[in-house]
Amino acid sequence: MSTTNISVTTVPAMAGISNFNDTFGHGELEKYDEFIAALYMNKCGLWILTIVGLVCNTLAFLTISSIKPFAASSFSVALLAILDTVVLVMRLFYHQLTAYDVSMGDAGCAILSFLGSFFLHLSTWTLVTMTIERFVAVWFPLRVSEFFTLKRAKLSILIISFILILLNMHVLWMTHEYMNPFPPIALDCGFRNEYKEFEADVWFWVNSCVYAFIPCASMIVLNALIIFGLHKSFKMQKQMINGECSSSSKNMQQRQITIMLVTVSVAFAVFLLPVCIFYLARWEPKTLRETARYYLTHEIVFFVAELHHAVNFLFYFFSSRKFRTMMIRLVTCKYPSTRRSVYQSQQGATSTTQSTSMFNEL
């Protein structure tokens, strides 16, 4: 087995994709099956995720963009597809640079580390805003069109982006390129020596909260309230014997939208939960066997965490009949031209009075 340079995916997004700091050397670790499995996961995992993510996110973006009117929720989901793709591509790009020992210089390391961390955080918090929108839609259905307009959705993303830029700004001057002294010796990016204490005692926990703990907790609480709200509204609807058909149809549409987006956010929380546990454990292996198991656990945990960047499209596809229909029509180019024109003209006449939720037609 060759001692090929190994890169791992951790958080922060880029500065943490570093070489395995193996004080024992690969030669001794390679006798353990756990390390061999981790090695292959590290070499192939990001490639698989990026290829799948490029296809799925492109289909999701094109399908969502074809749904009219293009409202607040459609903007958020389309943005999420773009951000997920950017995160995966940047991770793979950095992974390959470190794997082939390509020098990026201090400036290159700083920029890639900053952008990688920023886009990862923004992707996560875009999903949080989508969950908040669904919470409002379920609990305050008469106010959702007032609170979540397309203009306000864009403004909220700008505000979140500004906050995340400030949060990650320190990476630009604290990160540099250095020669990893542990076998295999290779160029890598990381915090400068004078900031190592800050990285371990402050940034580790701040970054963990922004990327994992707070979003994961928010998803769990909001989705529990959304599910409870759906159950409550369903019971109330069953009691309304004389309810109008149009109202019932609209409620069913909103329920389908909510189920789809709740599925995505629940999956995100499930995928991210192992990372939260991994952070809290702060596992420090003391033997060769423990080190090999640590590397394998590390690869599995972060592969699962990256999975949601690639497979959101599948949740849209399987949880929404209308999304499936629109995607199939888009791929096969089978649009009923006459009916579609009438439909779009009707939507243009009534779009100002409809909810801003992107999938009002779903």
Side-chain angles (χ1 to χ4, degrees):
M1 174 70 67
S2 65
T3 58
T4 304
N5 182 36
I6 307 174
S7 302
V8 296
T9 305
T10 60
V11 174
M14 291 299 167
I17 306 182
S18 56
N19 303 306
F20 279 158
N21 289 345
D22 173 21
T23 56
F24 304 105
H26 286 180
E28 297 181 58
L29 280 173
E30 285 170 358
K31 64 184 179 182
Y32 297 103
D33 293 337
E34 295 92 336
F35 181 77
I36 301 302
L39 178 65
Y40 281 109
M41 281 194 68
N42 184 265
K43 287 182 176 180
C44 303
L46 269 178
W47 277 105
I48 295 172
L49 288 177
T50 303
I51 293 171
V52 172
L54 279 171
V55 175
C56 290
N57 289 328
T58 300
L59 286 173
F61 178 81
L62 293 176
T63 303
I64 291 162
S65 299
S66 67
I67 298 175
K68 306 300 180 183
F70 190 79
S73 294
S74 54
F75 167 76
S76 297
V77 178
L79 177 63
L80 182 64
I82 295 173
L83 291 174
D84 284 343
T85 303
V86 171
V87 168
L88 290 173
V89 171
M90 289 194 68
R91 284 188 176 282
L92 181 62
F93 178 64
Y94 186 91
H95 181 279
Q96 292 302 294
L97 288 177
T98 55
Y100 289 98
D101 203 19
V102 177
S103 176
M104 293 169 279
D106 290 348
C109 273
I111 292 173
L112 282 176
S113 298
F114 169 77
L115 291 177
S117 187
F118 167 73
F119 282 119
L120 181 66
H121 290 158
L122 185 57
S123 172
T124 300
W125 282 92
T126 298
L127 190 53
V128 173
T129 61
M130 290 167 54
T131 309
I132 294 174
E133 188 268 345
R134 280 297 91 197
F135 169 78
V136 175
V138 170
W139 283 91
F140 309 99
L142 300 179
R143 306 296 301 274
V144 64
S145 59
E146 176 186 348
F147 292 152
F148 290 92
T149 63
L150 179 58
K151 183 177 180 180
R152 288 187 176 182
K154 293 179 179 179
L155 180 61
S156 65
I157 293 298
L158 286 176
I159 293 173
I160 292 173
S161 299
F162 179 73
I163 294 172
L164 293 177
I165 287 173
L166 294 179
L167 182 70
N168 290 281
M169 188 69 72
H170 66 279
V171 174
L172 290 173
W173 65 82
M174 291 188 180
T175 306
H176 73 136
E177 185 177 60
Y178 70 101
M179 184 64 69
N180 188 339
F182 300 103
I185 298 174
L187 292 171
D188 202 357
C189 293
F191 276 69
R192 298 178 186 273
N193 291 333
E194 58 266 34
Y195 298 116
K196 289 294 185 182
E197 185 175 347
F198 170 81
E199 178 188 18
D201 299 336
V202 179
W203 178 239
F204 175 85
W205 293 109
V206 171
N207 190 64
S208 300
C209 288
V210 174
Y211 169 67
F213 296 145
I214 296 177
C216 191
S218 300
M219 296 289 184
I220 292 173
V221 172
L222 288 172
N223 283 311
L225 292 173
I226 289 172
I227 293 171
F228 176 74
L230 284 175
H231 178 69
K232 181 180 177 181
S233 65
F234 180 72
K235 289 178 62 178
M236 292 178 61
Q237 185 179 352
K238 288 180 64 176
Q239 296 172 359
M240 296 175 62
I241 301 175
N242 298 323
E244 297 181 2
C245 293
S246 60
S247 176
S248 176
S249 176
K250 183 176 181 180
N251 288 337
M252 289 299 294
Q253 290 171 356
Q254 287 294 325
R255 187 174 293 112
Q256 187 178 8
I257 300 166
T258 303
I259 290 173
M260 185 184 70
L261 297 183
V262 165
T263 301
V264 173
S265 58
V266 167
F268 169 82
V270 171
F271 290 158
L272 212 59
L273 190 59
V275 175
C276 297
I277 297 173
F278 190 80
Y279 281 157
L280 292 173
R282 304 202 76 169
W283 186 2
E284 296 183 2
K286 296 179 175 59
T287 65
L288 276 171
R289 169 71 71 177
E290 288 185 6
T291 302
R293 289 174 177 173
Y294 171 85
Y295 289 155
L296 179 59
T297 303
H298 184 285
E299 286 298 314
I300 294 174
V301 164
F302 285 97
F303 180 86
V304 172
E306 299 291 343
L307 198 57
H308 81 90
H309 294 298
V311 299
N312 282 337
F313 165 81
L314 299 179
F315 297 121
Y316 302 148
F317 184 86
F318 288 111
S319 62
S320 172
R321 179 180 57 82
K322 185 62 177 180
F323 185 90
R324 289 195 299 273
T325 302
M326 292 296 292
M327 192 277 291
I328 293 172
R329 286 180 178 179
L330 182 70
V331 172
T332 59
C333 299
K334 293 182 179 180
Y335 285 98
S337 56
T338 303
R339 291 178 58 190
R340 188 184 178 197
S341 299
V342 173
Y343 175 79
Q344 288 182 342
S345 64
Q346 291 174 345
Q347 288 299 316
T350 59
S351 61
T352 56
T353 60
Q354 290 180 334
S355 169
T356 56
S357 180
M358 90 165 166
F359 293 113
N360 281 338
E361 319 307 324
L362 298 188

